[in-house]
Amino acid sequence: DAMVIQNPRYQVTQFGKPVTLSCSQTLNHNVMYWYQQKSSQAPKLLFHYYDKDFNNEADTPDNFQSRRPNTSFCFLDIRSPGLGDAAMYLCATSREMGQGAREQYFGPGTRLTVT
Amino acid sequence: DQQVKQNSPSLSVQEGRISILNCDYTNSMFDYFLWYKKYPAEGPTFLISISSIKDKNEDGRFTVFLNKSAKHLSLHIVPSQPGDSAVYFCAASGAAGNKLTFGGGTRVLVKP
């Protein structure tokens, strides 16, 4: 089945220790997104890639970076995690941008704990 | 500044009855609306969507209604089943791109 895969499902890191979350997709979609979701809140978009073009949301902290080495993979790097970065991180994809391709398909998420 | 709001944080309904979830938005540039379902420890699953050129879209037990003048949409689930117990998010996007703005979610409990 075509899908969005996130590894690991649970990640524990220490305060200030860099951490990388990974996402892969077998849908061959052009667009990949990273969201942060804190408990009982709506998912918040951090950034997205349209093919190789990176688009950062204006309020995404500099501490968060992303890489997309190829169509299938996308990484979220948190350079110096703080306690406030503990959250569920969701990866999503969509086939294209714009009309007729608005649906986004989500992975299961990675729950990040910062100690 | 919450552009998409789900004012009911929770909803309890008997199995077999109708579940009605509501969502309001403020941004008139939104022209596409989606509903997602989320189980604990899983990512949101796409359920159904509607374009602003329509006022109704139906898919099996799920129907979404859009009232543009009121900036309001609703999701009807008929009949409700215990497996429908989850958190439901409405989301909206504008013509400028695919960015989704999510509501805060409504937790649905379907009682057997």
Side-chain angles (χ1 to χ4, degrees):
Chain A
D1 281 345
M3 54 198 310
V4 182
I5 303 159
Q6 290 188 245
N7 285 306
R9 295 291 307 275
Y10 300 91
Q11 176 74 57
V12 180
T13 191
Q14 291 179 334
F15 182 93
K17 185 174 181 181
V19 65
T20 295
L21 310 182
S22 72
C23 176
S24 64
Q25 54 125 344
T26 60
L27 297 159
N28 204 31
H29 283 176
N30 281 324
V31 194
M32 295 186 77
Y33 309 80
W34 279 103
Y35 289 85
Q36 180 192 64
Q37 185 179 27
K38 297 190 175 179
S39 58
S40 305
Q41 295 182 18
K44 178 180 177 296
L45 181 65
L46 295 173
F47 25 59
H48 75 272
Y49 271 97
Y50 177 49
D51 195 13
K52 294 180 181 179
D53 291 334
F54 177 71
N55 296 272
N56 200 29
E57 292 300 299
D59 57 354
T60 298
D62 292 340
N63 199 24
F64 291 85
Q65 304 285 321
S66 186
R67 295 170 284 135
R68 189 179 186 186
N70 54 53
T71 300
S72 301
F73 285 87
C74 195
F75 300 98
L76 170 61
D77 300 307
I78 309 176
R79 292 192 294 189
S80 182
L83 297 178
D85 296 328
M88 174 75 84
Y89 289 88
L90 296 163
C91 174
T93 73
S94 66
R95 183 168 49 85
E96 271 297 340
M97 300 286 290
Q99 298 291 344
R102 306 282 191 97
E103 289 81 12
Q104 294 183 17
Y105 297 89
F106 285 81
T110 294
R111 180 162 297 283
L112 178 69
T113 300
V114 182
T115 61
Chain B
D1 175 25
Q2 269 190 290
Q3 298 186 65
V4 179
K5 286 186 183 178
Q6 293 175 251
N7 289 318
S8 296
S10 64
L11 171 70
S12 183
V13 65
Q14 206 67 35
E15 182 180 3
R17 306 294 288 267
I18 184 171
S19 295
I20 300 176
L21 291 81
N22 294 303
C23 180
D24 297 295
Y25 63 96
T26 57
N27 189 337
S28 57
M29 299 302 292
F30 289 145
D31 67 348
Y32 199 80
F33 305 89
L34 308 91
W35 284 95
Y36 285 84
K37 173 180 176 179
K38 186 179 184 303
Y39 292 120
E42 293 185 15
T45 301
F46 170 71
L47 268 180
I48 191 168
S49 61
I50 187 166
S51 166
S52 60
I53 61 173
K54 296 185 176 181
D55 54 20
K56 178 182 173 182
N57 188 26
E58 191 172 351
D59 184 0
R61 296 186 298 113
F62 302 93
T63 303
V64 56
F65 296 91
L66 175 63
N67 182 334
K68 281 179 60 179
S69 60
K71 293 191 175 68
H72 177 85
L73 63 152
S74 61
L75 174 69
H76 292 207
I77 307 173
V78 181
S80 300
Q81 300 173 353
D84 297 330
S85 296
V87 178
Y88 290 79
F89 290 95
C90 71
S93 75
N98 282 23
K99 176 180 175 178
L100 293 183
T101 301
F102 284 86
T106 297
R107 183 178 302 278
V108 173
L109 175 63
V110 180
K111 299 178 186 175

